[in-house]
C-alpha cells in the first residue's frame, strides 16, 4: 500500500519517493526544510548529499541492510 505523508510534509504525497522520505523522517535521518516541506524534486548541494549519504551508512550499520 501507499504510505501516507506526515501532515507537515504534504508536498511528498503522491511522489514516487514518499515512502522513503517518510521512513527516513521517522528514523530522524531527514527533517526537511524549516517550513515543513521536503521539496522532493529540488536540487541539493553536495554538502547535503554527503550528510544524507553519511547518515544512511550509519543507519545501515546500526540496523542492517533491511532497516
Amino acid at each position: 500500500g501507499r504510505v501516507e505523508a506526515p501532515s507537515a510534509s504534504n508536498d511528498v504525497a503522491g511522489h514516487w519517493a514518499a515512502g522513503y522520505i517518510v521512513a527516513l523522517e521517522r528514523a530522524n535521518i531527514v527533517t526537511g526544510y524549516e517550513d515543513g516541506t521536503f521539496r522532493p524534486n529540488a536540487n541539493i548541494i553536495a554538502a547535503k548529499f554527503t550528510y544524507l549519504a553519511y547518515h544512511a551508512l550509519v543507519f545501515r550499520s546500526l540496523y542492517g541492510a533491511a532497516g
Side-chain angles (χ1 to χ4, degrees), residues 9-61:
S9 55
N10 288 330
D11 64 326
V12 301
H15 190 273
W16 67 266
Y20 298 106
I21 294 168
V22 171
L24 291 170
E25 180 186 35
R26 288 181 181 156
N28 294 315
I29 295 174
V30 298
T31 58
Y33 290 89
E34 292 178 1
D35 65 357
T37 63
F38 276 92
R39 304 176 199 163
N41 292 320
N43 293 326
I44 61 172
I45 62 173
K48 184 57 123 178
F49 175 79
T50 302
Y51 171 89
L52 292 171
Y54 170 79
H55 282 86
L57 292 172
V58 169
F59 183 83
R60 183 177 179 164
S61 70

